[in-house]
Amino acid sequence: MNFHKARYEMKELIILRSLNTRIALTEKESSYYWNLEKGFQGEQKFDGLLETLSGNYLILNDLLLEINNSTFQIDSTLIFKDTIYLVEVKNYEGDSYLEGDRWINKNTKKERKNPILQLKRSESLFRQLMKELNYNSPIESYLVFINPNFYLYHAPMDPSIILPPHINRFIDKISLKPPNLTDKHLKFAQKLRSLHLNNSSFMQLPTYNYDHLEKGITCPGCHTLISEVKNSKLICESCGCSEDVTSAVLRSAKELSILFPEKSITVNTLHEWCKIIKSKKTIRRILVKNYKLIKLGKSSHYVCPQKES
Ligand SMILES: [Zn+2]
């Protein structure tokens, strides 16, 4: 039995990443963006560890759920035969300590939202949701600190907190879980996936408009703007990453559609957006080959075939 809700980069992260390159974000916006970026990297790292698990389990990533008008998000939900694991992954760095319920960064002395309380809240809401769906299973919830450079002073003797040196032991523990998932488990996983909220109203984005954004193609590796095209390849001066023109143009077209869903993709708009590709013919050739041409009277634009379905 294999069932997997993949982890996609959130729309919010994709937009903020692009804005970070194309406009000057305020300090607050920029720190919010970098937190998302770091969080996503941490989750990917955790996914990599789970890949080593063999056996039978269902995994749902980044569920955003709602019960009794309260929404909650879970980084990884693992459904095993006799247990459900709710895992919150934190990519914190540096030293923190706890003062009662207050979670404090040791260097800056700034308090941050206590992730233990956040985890307990999610667990309680998940329990209520399970009850409503008539599903019974023990739940264990965990807070996994994935970054080896994180240290928590006065860490409570709470088995739900998995600090970096204990992650492998944690993975070993869940790998020993019995297999034999049944239809009941799969149906529950499908139900959870169907309840996942795809709600963009949770996005915290600065206001932005097309004219104020710097145009050009960003590097897929380090997200800076590319300044060199050589032999049909875009080469990043900052990180050395290279990508062929077609893939870079298609990536940029997708980025433009995510930032401005109302904007039609035409040869002219994409030519202006990509900026570094001087030839309109190249843009047209790529669009003709990969997008579908829609003619409306005298004007025409292109749509991405995946988007249409
Ligand atoms: Zn780069």
Side-chain angles (χ1 to χ4, degrees), residues 27-284:
E27 207 182 310
K28 205 175 155 197
E29 289 158 356
S30 165
S31 108
Y32 180 74
Y33 157 61
W34 284 110
N35 273 333
L36 278 189
E37 193 75 85
K38 253 179 92 182
F40 181 70
Q41 283 165 9
E43 288 161 21
Q44 275 186 315
K45 206 167 158 192
F46 182 67
D47 294 347
L49 294 174
L50 290 182
E51 270 169 25
T52 62
L53 284 183
S54 54
N56 224 342
Y57 64 96
L58 302 165
I59 174 163
L60 296 144
N61 284 320
D62 291 330
L63 281 177
L64 180 64
L65 300 165
E66 182 179 22
I67 178 91
N68 302 328
N69 295 319
S70 300
T71 51
F72 62 107
Q73 195 252 334
I74 303 163
D75 291 338
S76 292
T77 306
L78 309 173
I79 303 174
F80 282 83
K81 182 171 178 259
D82 59 356
T83 317
I84 290 182
Y85 292 100
L86 304 180
V87 183
E88 194 58 39
V89 182
K90 294 290 177 202
N91 195 7
Y92 294 176
E93 245 175 301
D95 299 342
S96 289
Y97 63 89
L98 274 164
E99 228 175 52
D101 264 352
R102 295 174 65 222
W103 188 286
I104 295 156
N105 181 310
K106 194 166 176 278
N107 297 326
T108 61
K109 303 281 180 254
K110 271 190 187 162
E111 186 177 346
R112 66 155 96 214
K113 239 189 197 169
N114 184 334
I116 304 171
L117 301 180
Q118 188 194 337
L119 182 75
K120 301 266 181 269
R121 175 181 178 272
S122 298
E123 185 187 314
S124 152
L125 292 168
F126 192 85
R127 232 176 257 292
Q128 294 171 41
L129 182 68
M130 260 187 17
K131 203 172 167 201
E132 197 172 279
L133 299 174
N134 280 321
Y135 188 85
N136 269 315
S137 168
I139 301 178
E140 290 182 22
S141 50
Y142 291 95
L143 199 52
V144 174
F145 292 94
I146 199 86
N147 196 317
N149 297 321
F150 171 74
Y151 189 79
L152 180 64
Y153 287 88
H154 319 306
M157 295 294 284
D158 184 338
S160 66
I161 298 177
I162 312 292
L163 293 167
H166 307 139
I167 294 178
N168 286 338
R169 208 187 304 156
F170 171 68
I171 299 286
D172 288 348
K173 185 187 122 176
I174 54 177
S175 71
L176 296 172
K177 284 281 161 192
N180 306 329
L181 289 177
T182 65
D183 233 25
K184 182 187 87 167
H185 301 97
L186 183 64
K187 280 203 176 113
F188 180 62
Q190 282 166 338
K191 184 73 198 166
L192 286 178
R193 188 157 76 164
S194 74
L195 290 174
H196 170 68
L197 303 170
N198 231 334
N199 198 338
S200 51
S201 63
F202 292 97
M203 295 199 283
Q204 291 184 41
L205 296 172
T207 46
Y208 59 93
N209 73 58
Y210 181 81
D211 293 339
H212 293 153
L213 298 193
E214 179 133 10
K215 314 297 184 287
I217 295 180
T218 60
C219 165
C222 69
H223 317 305
T224 55
L225 287 168
I226 305 265
S227 55
E228 199 185 347
V229 188
K230 230 188 203 170
N231 305 328
S232 301
K233 291 238 180 269
L234 278 81
I235 296 144
C236 174
E237 274 185 353
S238 309
C239 75
C241 189
S242 104
E243 187 182 22
D244 70 75
V245 167
T246 303
S247 131
V249 168
L250 290 173
R251 204 165 45 75
S252 300
K254 259 188 203 156
E255 184 188 343
L256 179 62
S257 299
I258 291 175
L259 286 162
F260 303 99
E262 70 292 341
K263 213 171 173 63
S264 298
I265 298 287
T266 65
V267 173
N268 284 336
T269 52
L270 195 54
H271 180 254
E272 182 181 67
W273 179 245
C274 290
K275 195 176 164 187
I276 193 172
I277 310 293
K278 299 292 172 219
S279 148
K280 278 193 187 178
K281 261 190 194 162
T282 304
I283 302 280
R284 175 169 289 114

Side-chain angles (χ1 to χ4, degrees), residues 11-27:
K11 214 187 229 179
E12 188 184 27
L13 175 57
I14 297 172
I15 294 176
L16 279 170
R17 190 183 281 154
S18 173
L19 293 180
N20 183 53
T21 303
R22 298 175 189 279
I23 52 172
L25 295 178
T26 64
E27 207 182 310

